[in-house]
Amino acid sequence: MNHEEILPQGSKVELAASTGDITAQNEISLSPEQDDSLRGYFETAQWTADGTTILTFSSSNQVSGYIVPQDLLSPTASRPLKLTPQTTIQLPEPSNVLAGAPYFQLAEPWTQQLLVSSRDHPIQLFYLSSSPSPSPASCYPLTKARSETFLTATSLVWPSPGSHFIAGSRNMLAKFDISRTGEEPVVRVKTIPSERHLSKGNGVGMRGTVSCLGAQPPPDAGLVAAGTWTRWVGLYDFAQAGAAACVATWSVAHAATREARVGGDGLTQTIWSPCGRYLLVGERKSTGILVYDVRVEGRLLGWVAGREALGNQRIGCDVFPGQEGSGGFEVWSGTTDGAVKVWEGVGSREGAHAPEWSWAAAERSTIGSTCVHQSGTVVATCSGSWEFPDDDGDGESQWQSDSSGVDSDSDVSSSEAPWMQRRNKESSLKIWSMSSNNVEAEP
């Protein structure tokens, strides 16, 4: 589908601000010895609670904060404006788990907090300060009770009002009190009855690493949706204690494979509709997003078709209330081919939903995140990914010619060579204005 030809009539998407391609200086092929100098690409992006700042995470383990320019929607501004990070935090280990404070206010420095999780480290709280190397302000350990080894938090959600946050790990969810620095979680909920028994739960609950979490929005806030790499979804109510916290669990494998026929290989996102009645489930290696009515356990209401997420890379979508009288809500998502697509009226009927319109937000690069501003006037996208020699068609011959002079005693094996020869695709953070809204308010 040519996404440049299906823009809605009378509508306009304009590039308002951009970082530019942060990998442009690395277009020249690098040798394996220079491989570490490859710049990271943007993996995820999200708006802060007040809508003034965009938090990004890159493959080089950097968290950055971009304050939106004040003249972003000014009719006299020279577009696209240049986006530069106001602060950068270098994490010690790889992580793609990032959660901003639900009470974030740009005018109040003490509220500018974010949580990150890295392997073999406690969950850490940072402030978005101008310090060149900010250190964690607080730590929240998640350890095994018997061995005291750190458990990696593979997912985080920090719901409003912000007094507690929830972390997901292997076969477990944990609820932390943000005010109890250095303390273990106040509540632990196992997603299966036992890890030590041979039956490993015996079919009860959901087994596997919790890869994503989503908190139900107001006014029905209370449930947390957890998804696993093993393609299971669980709903949990942390107002209950222990095993009673589990409200429902079900597998999405049958619905994705047999009903929607969108494929999938592990959940990467669980996100609620603006009304809190529907749950959207996104997977890697899929061509759609499943839509469930949570009022009926495991009932597939419909699916968002044509969302190409064909690789292992996470592709995050966003939701926005639909226009009055149209029914349903909107879903915005990027794809692996650099397009951003918009679906309207999702939740208003059963079955497949085709995209209403789309546009090219990047060239040949995956759109990792698409985030609609709470005002509806602008949308942020981030793009970036690796490419390998065999992605070009001539990669095999290129690799053979490059490796012909390699000595048999070399430390670089043939299985390592493609990874060592990886290159950056285009990577940028962009803010697009939706001028059809005719709103000149600042985000």
Side-chain angles (χ1 to χ4, degrees):
M1 178 170 55
N2 189 339
H3 38 266
E4 292 183 338
E5 297 179 355
I6 59 175
L7 287 173
Q9 186 176 1
S11 179
K12 182 181 179 182
V13 181
E14 182 181 359
L15 181 60
S18 174
T19 59
D21 185 2
I22 65 172
T23 67
Q25 67 184 37
N26 298 293
E27 292 180 353
I28 301 176
S29 179
L30 300 174
S31 66
E33 290 78 13
Q34 298 172 309
D35 184 69
D36 289 340
S37 64
L38 279 172
R39 297 193 63 183
Y41 61 84
F42 289 113
E43 289 189 346
T44 64
Q46 58 182 267
W47 289 101
T48 56
D50 64 346
T52 61
T53 306
I54 302 174
L55 301 178
T56 65
F57 183 81
S58 70
S59 62
S60 57
N61 308 327
Q62 285 188 345
V63 178
S64 301
Y66 293 81
I67 298 177
V68 177
Q70 293 184 355
D71 57 345
L72 179 68
L73 298 182
S74 172
T76 60
S78 177
R79 297 186 177 182
L81 301 175
K82 180 66 175 179
L83 291 175
T84 56
Q86 274 63 46
T87 183
T88 298
I89 301 170
Q90 182 66 55
L91 300 182
E93 298 288 342
S95 171
N96 57 2
V97 183
L98 171 65
Y103 44 76
F104 189 105
Q105 293 290 330
L106 187 62
E108 301 289 344
W110 70 269
T111 66
Q112 299 171 19
Q113 302 171 347
L114 57 92
L115 291 168
V116 297
S117 173
S118 300
R119 187 184 301 273
D120 297 327
H121 288 76
I123 300 170
Q124 298 174 328
L125 184 145
F126 288 89
Y127 283 91
L128 281 179
S129 65
S130 57
S131 171
S133 57
S135 57
S138 302
C139 293
Y140 304 90
L142 179 60
T143 60
K144 287 186 178 181
R146 292 178 175 84
S147 63
E148 296 186 356
T149 57
F150 283 116
L151 298 173
T152 301
T154 52
S155 52
L156 286 172
V157 64
W158 196 353
S160 183
S163 58
H164 296 81
F165 69 89
I166 297 165
S169 187
R170 180 171 176 79
N171 301 326
M172 187 183 68
L173 298 173
K175 181 179 181 180
F176 290 84
D177 188 330
I178 197 70
S179 63
R180 297 186 178 183
T181 302
E183 295 189 17
E184 292 279 345
V186 294
V187 177
R188 292 178 185 242
V189 177
K190 294 183 177 180
T191 60
I192 58 174
S194 174
E195 290 184 345
R196 299 177 63 84
H197 194 272
L198 292 177
S199 62
K200 300 291 186 182
N202 199 25
V204 179
M206 61 176 193
R207 179 187 177 190
T209 299
V210 179
S211 55
C212 53
L213 292 169
Q216 192 176 28
D220 300 324
L223 294 179
V224 172
T228 68
W229 291 127
T230 55
R231 309 185 74 186
W232 278 76
V233 176
L235 301 181
Y236 294 85
D237 183 359
F238 279 86
Q240 306 294 327
C246 182
V247 176
T249 60
W250 69 89
S251 172
V252 304
H254 182 272
T257 306
R258 300 296 179 87
E259 297 182 55
R261 300 182 183 275
V262 297
D265 188 32
L267 274 62
T268 56
Q269 187 179 24
T270 52
I271 183 172
W272 295 83
S273 64
C275 64
R277 290 194 296 267
Y278 306 106
L279 179 66
L280 284 74
V281 177
E283 292 193 83
R284 59 188 178 183
K285 297 183 178 180
S286 69
T287 58
I289 302 172
L290 305 180
V291 183
Y292 286 92
D293 187 341
V294 298
R295 294 169 292 185
V296 182
E297 178 183 347
R299 179 180 181 270
L300 181 66
L301 176 68
W303 58 93
V304 168
R307 199 285 290 260
E308 295 84 6
L310 305 179
N312 285 319
Q313 186 174 347
R314 288 178 183 260
I315 296 181
C317 71
D318 201 1
V319 296
F320 194 78
Q323 298 180 359
E324 293 185 11
S326 62
F329 56 95
E330 300 175 1
V331 178
W332 297 61
S333 179
T335 63
T336 52
D337 64 354
V340 173
K341 298 183 179 181
V342 183
W343 294 260
E344 299 176 354
V346 178
S348 62
R349 58 180 175 83
E350 297 184 357
H353 292 265
E356 296 291 335
W357 58 285
S358 63
W359 79 93
E363 184 177 351
R364 300 189 310 109
S365 191
T366 299
I367 304 295
S369 292
T370 305
C371 315
V372 184
H373 191 268
Q374 56 196 12
S375 66
T377 58
V378 295
V379 57
T381 63
C382 74
S383 62
S385 56
W386 298 124
E387 64 180 354
F388 301 91
D390 56 356
D391 290 345
D392 301 329
D394 60 345
E396 183 175 356
S397 59
Q398 177 68 31
W399 164 241
Q400 288 176 351
S401 62
D402 288 345
S403 61
S404 58
V406 177
D407 187 79
S408 59
D409 294 331
S410 172
D411 292 334
V412 181
S413 66
S414 59
S415 62
E416 293 173 335
W419 171 252
M420 298 298 290
Q421 287 196 336
R422 69 192 188 278
R423 299 187 299 267
N424 289 111
K425 287 188 177 182
E426 181 269 344
S427 182
S428 60
L429 174 67
K430 298 177 181 178
I431 302 179
W432 307 82
S433 65
M434 311 301 294
S435 57
S436 60
N437 290 301
N438 296 322
V439 178
E440 298 297 336
E442 303 294 336

